[in-house]
Amino acid sequence: MEIPYELLGRIFVYLLLFVLLGIVLALLVGFYSFKKKKVVFPNFVLFILYLFYSPAKWICSVFSIRDTLVDEILIEVRNAVMLDDFINAKGPRAVFLPQCMRHASCRARCDPIIGYECKQCGLCDIGAICEAAGEHGFTVYVIPGGSFVKKIMKAHRPTSCIGVACYDELSESMEEISFIPVQGICLLRDGCFNTKVDVAEVIDKMEVCNV
Ligand code: SF4
């Protein structure tokens, strides 16, 4: 039987156009939700942008749009979708902070399961977040990497959490632990050292919870 190359080629091109159109639509709807703080078709946006994460970033780069936009949309849309469940969640609550927020002179010991055990020495913002967390029923985990999230989930089974990380790590981690209500906050200054988060924003997220 002769292989219909022309027909197959056409189907391939149409499929490609269809996918590109879907990604552009998801980006536009997600951007609208992000800007207006009004979530529209969240499941469509999350599904398409996670499935076609790299092509969506490529489309942004083609149009000279900042490459963090895809992550910003994913984080904000998921935050909006999960906010009510996060507020009303019962049981242990966790805050995951990246270890790069620690001060260079930090003397905290790293536990193989829960990460760095902050002594609240006051040299960095983690101490202040730990103090507020104690008041609002959260446990802070200062983790060296994403693998610690899995270990903590298994060992301590938090039922809701706040995650702090750089854009791409945060959007990826939020997807991985989306089986519990999660709220994500991006670092103000990222990198591998001396990173910063808006401490007031982290505390605000704790305060909205019904305890
Ligand atoms: S506040 Fe905690 S994390 Fe920050 S430097 Fe002190 S012990 Fe380390």
Side-chain angles (χ1 to χ4, degrees), residues 101-108 116-128 130 142:
M101 279 178 62
R102 294 184 310 133
H103 191 272
S105 306
C106 177
R107 292 183 168 271
Y116 289 91
E117 294 171 299
C118 176
K119 296 173 188 295
Q120 298 189 34
C121 71
L123 282 176
C124 74
D125 290 338
I126 293 175
C130 285
V142 184

Side-chain angles (χ1 to χ4, degrees), residues 55-210:
K57 286 213 158 196
W58 175 78
I59 289 173
C60 287
S61 71
V62 167
F63 291 100
S64 302
I65 299 169
R66 64 182 186 279
D67 64 351
T68 56
L69 181 70
V70 178
D71 299 301
E72 288 173 57
I73 291 171
L74 288 170
I75 293 162
E76 287 309 320
V77 170
R78 193 174 294 283
N79 277 352
V81 167
M82 294 201 144
L83 184 61
D84 285 346
D85 288 345
F86 172 77
I87 289 172
N88 296 309
K90 303 287 175 227
R93 302 166 194 263
V95 181
F96 294 108
L97 301 177
Q99 71 89 22
C100 53
M101 279 178 62
R102 294 184 310 133
H103 191 272
S105 306
C106 177
R107 292 183 168 271
R109 165 190 167 270
C110 187
D111 178 271
I113 306 284
I114 61 168
Y116 289 91
E117 294 171 299
C118 176
K119 296 173 188 295
Q120 298 189 34
C121 71
L123 282 176
C124 74
D125 290 338
I126 293 175
I129 295 173
C130 285
E131 195 181 327
E135 289 165 16
H136 293 97
F138 281 78
T139 304
V140 175
Y141 298 99
V142 184
I143 53 171
S147 60
F148 276 73
V149 175
K150 290 191 191 108
K151 289 195 261 185
I152 292 162
M153 283 289 171
K154 206 169 161 190
H156 297 278
R157 302 192 178 278
T159 49
S160 64
C161 72
I162 297 170
V164 174
C166 56
Y167 286 111
D168 47 355
E169 270 188 32
L170 186 57
S171 61
E172 189 184 332
S173 301
M174 286 176 81
E175 168 70 354
E176 279 173 14
I177 57 169
S178 59
F179 51 88
I180 64 167
V182 56
Q183 294 289 289
I185 301 170
C186 278
L187 288 166
L188 293 173
R189 185 171 72 211
D190 64 6
C192 299
F193 172 69
N194 205 14
T195 57
K196 289 268 173 211
V197 69
D198 183 343
V199 175
E201 194 180 349
V202 178
I203 295 173
D204 282 351
K205 290 275 185 197
M206 295 181 202
E207 283 178 346
V208 295
C209 290
N210 292 329

